[in-house]
Amino acid sequence: MDALHKTYMPSKKRHSNIVPFKFDTPSPDDMVTTGLKSSINLRKEVQIKDSVDATGKKLMDSGILQTEKDTSMDPSTSAGVDKLGGTSSSVLSSNQHVTPILDHELQHLSLESKPKSSKPKIKKPASISEYKPEPWMLQSDDQEIRRQINLAVVGHVDSGKSTLCGRLLHALGLISKKQMHKYEKEAKEKGKGSFAYAWAMDEGPDERERGITMTVAVKYFDTEKYHVVLLDSPGHKDFVPNMISGATQADAAVLVVDASIGSFEAGMGVNGIGQTKEHSQLIRSFGVENLIVAVNKMDMVEYSKDRFNFVKSQLGIFLRSCGFKDSSITWVPLSAMANENLMTTASDSRLLSWYNGNCLLKSIDSLPPPQRDVSRPLRLPICDVIASITLGQMAFCGKVEAGGIRTGSKVLVMPSGDLATVKTIERDSSSCNLARAGDNIAVGLQGMDPSHLVSGGVICHPDFPVHVASRLELKILVLEITTPILVGLQFELHIHHARVSASLVKILSLLDQKTGKASKKMPRLLTTRQAAVVEVKLDKEVCVEEFSALKALGRVFLRSRGNTVAVGIVTRILDEA
């Protein structure tokens, strides 16, 4: 702009001491005016020419900056031109350089207040093979003596799950006598005296009023070998989605069954599928291999060995069909209300006469240690968005599935694509500097839009973002259903903590369950216990990984009309954001 100004100003103006006003950058009007003209001329590819007309008017460039020079102008002006560039062509070359820049800037201007697409530009995932874990992830310098194990407590409604958990915590001294007395008093006042121990877990007013668990209650206790994260899951059919969200974090499980006459049969679904069966199928689909079957309420059947063996034989057949190995199942007869065989070896003579195995607590200690994957990039599914005094308003809780996280580090929040800073980390309500794969933590973030922090999202490494997809290829196993599954079926798909509406687009092939190979291409429908490869379309994008890459983010559950109709894994991501 300085060069042009000097070139075309009369010499008397140019030699004055007053410095002409100029913008630091081209003004909006200049950019729009010059840019519009240049874009038209560049598109038409007008050849730039120098021409002088009869009146002495000179066209200096391609219509971008036209300057008229009167014949009466001081002749010294032309000398000034020669000083600057020698000839008019040198000025032309300078103008040609400015023109494309202005035009380029104009092309990127938008008069709209919002960009055309509100979708964030999500970084394409780098190859996992390029990832190298940092030294702090591999070191165990946080002085943890016991290894953590996440233990889901599942089973049919009213089988005594919450009472079992409450009794165990009380026996371990984690519930004070004063607090226990308060629970007993409140339970009696509401005519539910037997629910006193359950209220140690079911603290919500709705849960206490209805006498059932609605959400997953989380408690902690230590054994000789493990730091146990106890996940008390809902057993009622209406709250299976909550059970899925919580128990998907489990390393092992305690399946609680009611030994009393009629109750066990109800859980096994004599008249339709019961939650004992459904929960068994689900936890196996979560990847849980080690199972403790707590045969509860044995006092109701006089600690009968025959009844225990009946339960074991009936349920054992079904568990094997789900994929559990006999060597991975531990059977423990007990009574939570009578505190029999929970903390110490059985004391009742009727039980002692035929059972000499471990109590529940020792059975937990006998579980093999879970495998942790710290050699992969950070993957932390968001279980729940919370707010607390110590963590702030932008906080969430969840289990670190892979990699590690520490305070002060940058993380990527998906699917929004926001970059945030880890402000604080809490484990078991205590502040800590870092967490690794397997840890259940609460994290406070800063530097992002709070509305983008949602349950079902995933916190990940900035350079290795999680996949975000809306169309998936799944390998599924159909459970016990009454209506065949057809193409077009609308259902709810659960994947880690995400829950999204979806539809069945194609049934690609049936699979032979023994060999795993395709036995029939494009079948018309699917029925009970069939395995198949299907294609599904999701109503909105979710964070997902292929099962072969990360199991925790590659397991899916299909639910329709209040029932789980199929379980499966993600074999291929078809439509990625």
Side-chain angles (χ1 to χ4, degrees), residues 418-477:
D418 287 6
L419 201 64
T421 306
V422 179
K423 186 180 178 184
T424 49
I425 301 174
E426 286 187 1
R427 188 195 297 121
D428 304 352
S429 302
S430 300
S431 181
C432 60
N433 293 325
L434 58 90
R436 303 185 185 90
D439 290 339
N440 285 74
I441 56 173
V443 181
L445 300 176
Q446 62 182 9
M448 64 167 287
D449 186 345
S451 65
H452 292 167
L453 195 66
V454 293
S455 178
V458 174
I459 306 297
C460 50
H461 192 291
D463 298 328
F464 298 89
V466 70
H467 296 277
V468 179
S470 59
R471 189 181 287 259
L472 303 169
E473 182 186 275
L474 310 176
K475 186 185 290 184
I476 63 169
L477 173 66

Side-chain angles (χ1 to χ4, degrees), residues 98 105 307 409 489 548:
V98 173
E105 290 181 359
R307 181 61 177 172
S409 61
L489 173 71
S548 58

Side-chain angles (χ1 to χ4, degrees), residues 303-435:
Y303 298 100
S304 168
K305 181 181 179 181
D306 292 339
R307 181 61 177 172
F308 176 78
N309 287 336
F310 174 78
V311 169
K312 187 175 178 179
S313 63
Q314 293 291 309
L315 183 55
I317 294 169
F318 181 74
L319 292 177
R320 283 189 290 275
S321 74
C322 292
F324 287 104
K325 297 177 182 176
D326 285 339
S327 58
S328 301
I329 305 172
T330 305
W331 300 84
V332 183
L334 53 84
S335 172
M337 282 301 293
N339 193 20
E340 187 64 42
N341 210 29
L342 285 179
M343 291 280 299
T344 56
T345 309
S347 56
D348 193 290
S349 58
R350 293 171 293 181
L351 185 55
L352 273 173
S353 63
W354 57 269
Y355 180 76
N356 58 2
N358 288 334
C359 63
L360 180 62
L361 202 62
K362 285 204 173 172
S363 297
I364 293 171
D365 259 344
S366 300
L367 293 168
Q371 298 296 315
R372 304 301 190 201
D373 191 359
V374 294
S375 62
R376 299 180 73 84
L378 172 66
R379 295 290 183 267
L380 173 51
I382 300 171
C383 177
D384 198 11
V385 177
I386 56 176
S388 72
I389 298 171
T390 53
L391 293 170
Q393 294 298 313
M394 274 192 296
F396 68 92
C397 58
K399 176 190 173 187
V400 184
E401 295 292 355
I405 186 171
R406 64 175 173 175
T407 53
S409 61
K410 294 283 186 182
V411 294
L412 192 65
V413 182
M414 299 293 276
S416 66
D418 287 6
L419 201 64
T421 306
V422 179
K423 186 180 178 184
T424 49
I425 301 174
E426 286 187 1
R427 188 195 297 121
D428 304 352
S429 302
S430 300
S431 181
C432 60
N433 293 325
L434 58 90

Side-chain angles (χ1 to χ4, degrees), residues 285 472 474 476 493-495 554-558 566-570:
S285 301
L472 303 169
L474 310 176
I476 63 169
L493 183 134
H494 294 251
I495 180 163
R555 294 190 181 97
V556 295
F557 309 92
L558 282 56
V567 296
I569 60 173
V570 178

Side-chain angles (χ1 to χ4, degrees), residues 122 125-126 128 379 414-415 458 460 464-469 542-546 549 553 573 576-577:
I122 297 171
I128 299 297
R379 295 290 183 267
M414 299 293 276
V458 174
C460 50
F464 298 89
V466 70
H467 296 277
V468 179
V542 296
C543 300
V544 61
E545 293 279 9
E546 291 179 2
L553 269 63
I573 296 170
E576 189 172 346

Side-chain angles (χ1 to χ4, degrees), residues 186-246:
E186 290 175 350
K188 285 177 182 176
E189 285 175 359
K190 294 200 174 185
K192 297 180 179 180
S194 62
F195 284 76
Y197 288 105
W199 282 15
M201 305 298 288
D202 300 339
E203 296 179 351
D206 291 338
E207 292 181 313
R208 292 184 173 186
E209 188 66 36
R210 293 183 61 175
I212 58 173
T213 302
M214 295 176 168
T215 58
V216 176
V218 182
K219 299 290 181 182
Y220 309 91
F221 66 87
D222 292 333
T223 67
E224 291 181 6
K225 184 179 176 182
Y226 290 119
H227 173 68
V228 180
V229 179
L230 199 63
L231 304 162
D232 178 27
S233 306
H236 196 280
K237 182 180 178 180
D238 294 347
F239 303 106
V240 170
N242 292 348
M243 174 263 175
I244 291 173
S245 180

Side-chain angles (χ1 to χ4, degrees), residues 134-181:
E134 297 179 53
W136 60 268
M137 294 182 188
L138 306 175
Q139 297 170 357
S140 296
D141 55 1
D142 50 356
Q143 299 178 354
E144 274 194 329
I145 299 170
R146 297 178 180 87
R147 296 191 66 170
Q148 178 172 302
I149 187 168
N150 301 304
L151 195 64
V153 182
V154 298
H156 189 62
V157 65
D158 288 337
S159 59
K161 297 183 297 298
S162 295
T163 299
L164 174 65
C165 294
R167 191 58 141 146
L168 197 59
L169 294 173
H170 180 249
L172 288 164
L174 298 175
I175 302 173
S176 65
K177 289 183 179 179
K178 183 179 178 181
Q179 190 69 32
M180 199 64 237
H181 179 70

